[in-house]
Amino acid sequence: QLQASGGGLVQTGGSLRLSCSASGRAFSSLVMGWFRQAPGNERQFVARVGRSGSATKYSPSVTGRFTISRDNAKNTLFLQMNSLKPEDTAVYYCAAGADTIDLRNNYYDSRAYEYWGQGTQVTVSS
């Protein structure tokens, strides 16, 4: 089970740090990702991190502004978001999946992930 938190209202240029806590002992064996969904839009890939935390991928729209990380000892995933823009406004979801070839090749596709958190709202005001 995944539980996302840390969303809120922030001004343009501000920062937020999202967290996603996971229950169970399999956290370190899972690839973790963040997706977001704005009203009327499809769920969009934001970032993903490999099992050890060293392999990361980002959407071009957040590269250089967002950082994904994980703490396997605490079963927690993070997303540090800096230089926020109004277009970052969305519900942010954490996701997890087994480290398979399918997920490695399709890490940007929400269908490749098995487990999802409930989402946390991020609103960036202009």
Side-chain angles (χ1 to χ4, degrees):
Q1 186 174 3
L2 303 176
Q3 183 80 22
S5 62
L9 174 65
V10 64
Q11 291 185 335
T12 296
S15 298
L16 282 174
R17 190 191 197 202
L18 305 184
S19 298
C20 175
S21 61
S23 59
R25 297 181 294 175
F27 180 78
S28 61
S29 69
L30 298 172
V31 174
M32 303 295 298
W34 287 99
F35 285 74
R36 65 187 181 187
Q37 187 167 19
N41 290 351
E42 294 183 353
R43 196 163 293 190
Q44 176 188 45
F45 170 75
V46 175
R48 83 86 154 128
V49 62
R51 292 180 295 165
S52 67
S54 59
T56 57
K57 296 285 187 182
Y58 296 92
S59 164
S61 64
V62 307
T63 297
R65 301 187 298 122
F66 291 11
T67 302
I68 188 171
S69 63
R70 65 192 296 167
D71 185 338
N72 286 343
K74 296 183 178 179
N75 282 11
T76 306
L77 173 73
F78 303 101
L79 185 68
Q80 177 66 43
M81 304 186 295
N82 299 328
S83 302
L84 282 162
K85 306 174 181 179
E87 51 263 44
D88 295 319
T89 295
V91 177
Y92 282 70
Y93 298 90
C94 55
D99 189 8
T100 64
I101 292 177
D102 179 63
L103 182 48
R104 291 189 183 191
N105 291 337
N106 300 289
Y107 61 86
Y108 49 85
D109 190 339
S110 62
R111 296 170 296 179
Y113 296 80
E114 302 172 70
Y115 310 105
W116 291 86
Q118 86 290 359
T120 184
Q121 176 70 47
V122 171
T123 303
V124 184
S125 64
S126 56

